[in-house]
């Protein structure tokens, strides 16, 4: 049995909101077992906003949540860091609607988690283990989950841009692999889109300090952190959006040209397709798919 986790102590930081450009205080506070991850607006009071698909709100440029009149935005990089470190229970306090963008990656949140330390709670964790494939596609955008004994992500992207014609990466997500290979990858945007965002009052806090900006032939920033930083950031986003399922997922996520809208639509579909998963207390607990087909048989057929 794996124990549920929270942080050992409270930890805080200050940053700016990507879209508002306003300063925001973020505090991560330990919580008891089965609390889940919830956001609280210290500037508003009122209801907490649980980090689950039931509370999805805006999903255009980033992932937002709302509960009654309380909303929080740009939650995905923080959720990716928390879920990859197995933090099941946490109160996230914000002094304004947006989670601070920091450097556009999840690395600063990993630093906060490591500084606070992880505490195990006296309650078993439940995993959502995929036993039958689930998939959706919208045009050439696709996302699917297949049975696996680990949480793995395969992501591929292709854009009409010389640096981004095609990038693909598969990674088994662990604390170590996420911290070293995914968390530092920054969000990216195209210079031609920045002006349009600004005209709409968005990305007012955006700069070369918190995003990779792509010009027509290259990046405006001095250097990339990885040659394929773009697809690594898509993995980061997918891990964060999938956290809205509310349980750590055990399965192989395969996504092609997806984005927040498809990730979050897929997270909701997973919960609806309850015949395709089981709640288990160990990722390695043997589970049989319906109709007596062993899980490996299905995975094998899919792979061929
Ligand atoms: Zn992102």
């Amino acid at each position: 049995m794996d124990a549920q986790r929270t942080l050992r102590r409270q930890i805080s930081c200050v940053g700016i909101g990507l879209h508002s450009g306003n300063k925001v205080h973020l505090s991560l506070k330990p919580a008891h077992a089965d609390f889940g991850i919830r956001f609280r607006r210290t500037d508003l009071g009122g209801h907490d906003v649980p980090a689950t698909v039931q509370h999805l709100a805006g999903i255009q440029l980033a992932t937002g949540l709302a509960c009654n009149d309380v909303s929080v935005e740009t939650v995905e990089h923080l959720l990716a860091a928390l879920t990859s470190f197995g933090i099941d229970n946490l109160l996230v306090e914000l002094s304004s609607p947006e989670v601070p963008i920091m450097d556009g990656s999840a690395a600063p949140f990993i630093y906060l988690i490591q500084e606070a330390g992880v505490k195990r709670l006296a309650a078993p964790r439940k995993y959502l283990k995929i036993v039958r494939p689930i998939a959706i596609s919208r045009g050439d955008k696709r996302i699917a989950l297949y049975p696996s004994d680990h949480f793995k992500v395969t992501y591929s992207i292709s854009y009409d841009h010389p640096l981004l014609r095609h990038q693909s990466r598969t990674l088994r997500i662990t604390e170590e692999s996420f911290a070293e290979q995914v968390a530092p990858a920054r969000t990216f945007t195209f210079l031609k889109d920045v002006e349009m965002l600004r005209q709409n009052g968005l990305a007012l806090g955006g700069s070369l300090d918190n995003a990779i900006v792509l010009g027509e032939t290259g990046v405006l920033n001095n250097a990339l952190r990885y040659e394929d930083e773009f697809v690594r950031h898509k993995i980061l986003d997918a891990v964060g959006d999938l956290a809205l399922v509310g349980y750590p997922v055990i399965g192989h996520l395969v996504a092609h040209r997806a984005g927040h809208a498809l990730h979050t639509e897929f997270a909701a579909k997973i919960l609806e397709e309850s015949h395709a998963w089981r709640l288990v207390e160990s990722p390695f607990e043997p589970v049989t798919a319906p109709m007596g087909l062993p899980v490996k048989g299905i995975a094998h057929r899919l792979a061929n």
Side-chain angles (χ1 to χ4, degrees), residues 93-167:
E93 286 191 346
L94 291 170
S95 65
S96 78
E98 285 184 86
V99 174
I101 190 65
M102 311 308 285
D103 67 349
S105 83
F109 301 128
I110 296 291
Y111 176 76
L112 290 179
I113 295 167
Q114 288 173 331
E115 279 296 298
V118 174
K119 181 181 172 185
R120 285 173 170 74
L121 299 165
R125 169 189 287 156
K126 285 200 164 56
Y127 296 90
L128 188 150
K129 183 160 182 169
I130 301 297
V131 296
R132 294 182 72 173
I134 310 174
I136 50 177
S137 58
R138 297 281 175 269
D140 64 349
K141 301 173 194 295
R142 294 190 301 275
I143 187 163
L145 257 168
Y146 302 103
S148 169
D149 277 343
H150 307 285
F151 178 38
K152 265 194 310 192
V153 181
T154 296
Y155 214 114
S156 56
I157 55 173
S158 55
Y159 290 86
D160 183 20
H161 187 280
L163 277 184
L164 294 187
R165 290 256 186 267
H166 183 77
Q167 290 190 350

Side-chain angles (χ1 to χ4, degrees), residues 76-77 104 187 233 236-237 260:
E76 62 273 16
H77 301 165
T187 193
H233 188 81
L236 196 172
D237 282 340
H260 291 302

Side-chain angles (χ1 to χ4, degrees), residues 199-272:
Q199 281 169 3
N200 288 300
L202 296 169
L204 301 177
S207 74
L208 292 179
D209 292 330
N210 53 34
I212 306 168
V213 180
L214 287 139
E216 282 188 10
T217 54
V219 298
L220 273 60
N221 312 63
N222 286 332
L224 292 175
R225 292 178 178 176
Y226 310 93
E227 195 184 346
D228 61 350
E229 188 168 357
F230 310 97
V231 73
R232 291 176 192 243
H233 188 81
K234 297 297 282 189
I235 293 175
L236 196 172
D237 282 340
V239 170
D241 289 334
L242 204 67
L244 297 174
V245 165
Y247 298 97
V249 170
I250 305 299
H252 184 183
L253 183 78
V254 180
H256 176 66
R257 301 198 69 183
H260 291 302
L262 200 60
H263 297 162
T264 51
E265 182 185 348
F266 188 61
K269 184 179 170 71
I270 294 167
L271 289 182
E272 283 166 20

Side-chain angles (χ1 to χ4, degrees), residues 163-221:
L163 277 184
L164 294 187
R165 290 256 186 267
H166 183 77
Q167 290 190 350
S168 179
R169 177 166 284 273
T170 296
L171 193 68
R172 180 179 157 196
I173 306 293
T174 64
E175 280 176 35
E176 295 76 21
S177 73
F178 186 84
E180 289 168 15
Q181 301 183 51
V182 178
R186 294 161 295 171
T187 193
F188 56 94
T189 186
F190 296 92
L191 185 60
K192 61 185 170 56
D193 295 335
V194 172
E195 195 52 37
M196 190 260 299
L197 289 171
R198 293 263 165 95
Q199 281 169 3
N200 288 300
L202 296 169
L204 301 177
S207 74
L208 292 179
D209 292 330
N210 53 34
I212 306 168
V213 180
L214 287 139
E216 282 188 10
T217 54
V219 298
L220 273 60
N221 312 63

Side-chain angles (χ1 to χ4, degrees), residues 5-27:
R5 295 174 174 196
T6 187
L7 292 185
R8 194 173 296 279
R9 65 178 181 89
Q10 176 181 333
I11 194 157
S12 305
C13 73
V14 178
I16 60 163
L18 173 63
H19 291 304
S20 65
N22 293 335
K23 190 164 132 181
V24 50
H25 292 261
L26 167 77
S27 293

